[in-house]
Amino acid sequence: MGDVNRTSAGGGGMRDTTGNPGVPRTPGVLVDEGGAGVGGVSGVFAHHGAPGGGGGGAGAAGVNLPALRSHNAALVLDLLRTAGTSGISRLELAERTGLTPQAVSKITARLRADGLATEAGRRASTGGKPRTVLRLVPGAGYAVGLHLDRDELTVVLCDLTGAVVAERRAPLDLGAGAEAVVEGAAREAEALLDGVTPLGVGVALPGPLDHTLGVLHRVTGFPEWDGFALRDALAARLGLPVVVDKDTNAAALGVAVGTGSRPGPVGAAGGGSFAYLHLGTGLGAGLVIGGAVHRGARTGAGEFGHQVIQLDGPLCECGNRGCIEVLCLDAVARGTVAEAARVLGAGAANLVGLLDIDLVLLGGRTVAAHEEVFLRGVGAVLEERARREGGEAAVPVRAAPGGARGVAEGAAQLLLAPLFGRGEG
């Protein structure tokens, strides 16, 4: 069994945490927020949650009014989340969403009735009575984030802000067979819950895989997983909604939306673009374009490690020669970490030139073990590229937030972020 580290047990005693700084004004959808039988919070959960959520009837002219109401509730929830413990007034919510004050009042009334929002005091007004401010209740819901690496399992329990309230780690052999891996992952998740029923489980692991169907493809080094429906198998075992994505996509999502008291990268939530490069037991990329995770038409984007940069190079487990992954890992194994950093920098420079991204973030256990070497080496390659082109300053290179559990935190965001209108893409 893995070791458990519980920050604060489930229930109403969770500490409040501050989310991202304020987000820009977001145009709202101006619809009637009333109507019988349409719950604001349940609508968010049904239309933005894990696969299998309930649908809703269409309104006039084919408009799905429950879905629109859900969208508006998500806008309000996100502003409550980013406001943190200081809270935000209904008037500010109306100004920043574009919704009418009446619509905001109806939404916030439902959120309070469902325990998702509560009063956070009063704020002096420029005229009239003081304004009541509202805040999100972090402990009103939880999500499990599960990171299945090739040799280790990490599972976290996150509250609605994304803050980790409990964590477990255990050894894992991804080649032990589907039944053993699913059972081991389920046991660790159950041991973490301690009576809490979460919204669901987000699972992140090496690709390639089909994010939409939750089906694995030929995971590099473990071709026996090809075609396995991991999402359905784990959902049946746990009795909970499950979402599956690549480890790099999950980590990139966690960075983009910010988790707990940690904000996302500057500009990312407001439409910026960055690449998260993960070097651990393998190498991959999570791409955020225009503020949203870019998965591609077949959810296969980000197979960064298997770009060939040396035609006669060493054989990679994917079957090609000279992939950037095998070159990086071989250099690390030889103890020439600076060489691995330069190789990774060459791949990062390719991404910068191809996608014109704003930021490169480095993560994964191999990077964490030699963080300064990788930051310096990758940064030097990008700076040299910028000098050759004679244009603007080099794209910055930073260590990704989250550390060793960044992928697991991002996996929890596969369930949480859509509730705040932030998980689509």
Side-chain angles (χ1 to χ4, degrees):
M1 298 294 288
D3 298 324
V4 62
N5 178 12
R6 184 169 294 277
T7 305
S8 179
M14 297 295 181
R15 70 188 190 284
D16 293 332
T17 54
T18 304
N20 291 338
V23 297
R25 175 188 175 96
T26 306
V29 180
L30 301 180
V31 298
D32 177 14
E33 286 292 332
V38 180
V41 177
S42 61
V44 174
F45 279 49
H47 294 283
H48 291 277
V63 176
N64 190 329
L65 291 181
L68 291 178
R69 294 186 179 106
S70 170
H71 169 74
N72 292 340
L75 294 178
V76 172
L77 275 171
D78 193 45
L79 287 170
L80 290 171
R81 179 182 71 94
T82 56
T85 56
S86 60
I88 185 171
S89 71
R90 292 177 181 83
L91 180 59
E92 290 171 304
L93 288 170
E95 290 173 346
R96 295 172 69 177
T97 60
L99 295 169
T100 65
Q102 294 82 1
V104 168
S105 292
K106 290 178 180 178
I107 292 172
T108 54
R110 288 199 299 269
L111 296 180
R112 291 184 64 186
D114 287 336
L116 285 172
T118 189
E119 288 189 7
R122 294 180 181 276
R123 186 175 299 159
S125 175
T126 56
K129 63 181 181 180
R131 298 174 185 172
T132 300
V133 293
L134 303 172
R135 64 171 176 84
L136 184 70
V137 178
Y142 299 90
V144 173
L146 184 60
H147 178 198
L148 303 179
D149 208 343
R150 292 172 173 85
D151 59 358
E152 183 181 56
L153 176 156
T154 303
V155 57
V156 297
L157 182 67
C158 296
D159 66 19
L160 290 182
T161 71
V164 175
V165 298
E167 176 182 4
R168 289 178 67 88
R169 293 180 185 274
L172 176 72
D173 178 5
L174 200 58
E179 183 176 348
V181 171
V182 168
E183 180 59 29
R187 284 199 307 267
E188 292 299 325
E190 288 172 335
L192 190 72
L193 293 176
D194 192 22
V196 174
T197 300
L199 304 173
V201 179
V203 183
L205 73 163
L209 54 81
D210 186 324
H211 162 71
T212 304
L213 298 177
V215 175
L216 306 188
H217 295 320
R218 295 178 65 85
V219 177
T220 304
F222 302 92
E224 64 271 20
W225 282 99
D226 189 20
F228 183 74
L230 177 61
R231 183 190 71 190
D232 293 346
L234 197 55
R237 170 61 178 79
L238 289 171
L240 293 168
V242 174
V243 182
V244 174
D245 207 345
K246 289 196 296 188
D247 47 10
T248 50
N249 287 344
L253 175 62
V255 172
V257 303
T259 55
S261 59
R262 187 179 68 244
V266 175
S273 302
F274 68 88
Y276 167 80
L277 306 184
H278 184 96
L279 180 60
T281 58
L283 174 62
L287 305 175
V288 171
I289 308 296
V293 175
H294 176 71
R295 297 184 176 91
R298 290 163 293 280
T299 74
E303 289 299 312
F304 169 81
H306 299 295
Q307 55 176 306
V308 175
I309 62 173
Q310 184 180 333
L311 293 177
D312 58 349
L315 182 65
C316 182
E317 288 187 339
C318 74
N320 288 327
R321 286 189 174 274
C323 289
I324 189 171
E325 177 177 296
V326 69
L327 294 174
C328 280
L329 294 178
D330 281 3
V332 171
R334 294 195 309 271
T336 55
V337 179
E339 177 186 337
R342 289 193 298 272
V343 173
L344 186 58
N350 289 343
L351 274 183
V352 169
L354 184 64
L355 299 177
D356 194 22
I357 54 179
D358 304 317
L359 175 67
V360 172
L361 296 172
L362 306 182
R365 70 170 76 164
T366 302
V367 168
H370 312 279
E371 186 173 289
E372 288 304 317
V373 177
F374 277 101
L375 290 175
R376 186 167 56 249
V378 174
V381 175
L382 293 183
E383 287 169 4
E384 176 59 29
R385 177 184 181 275
R387 282 194 297 269
R388 286 197 309 269
E389 294 185 347
E392 299 179 356
V395 169
V397 180
R398 302 175 189 162
R405 67 187 189 195
V407 173
E409 290 184 44
Q413 287 294 337
L414 294 171
L415 275 298
L416 295 175
L419 303 181
F420 303 96
R422 302 290 293 274
E424 294 79 1

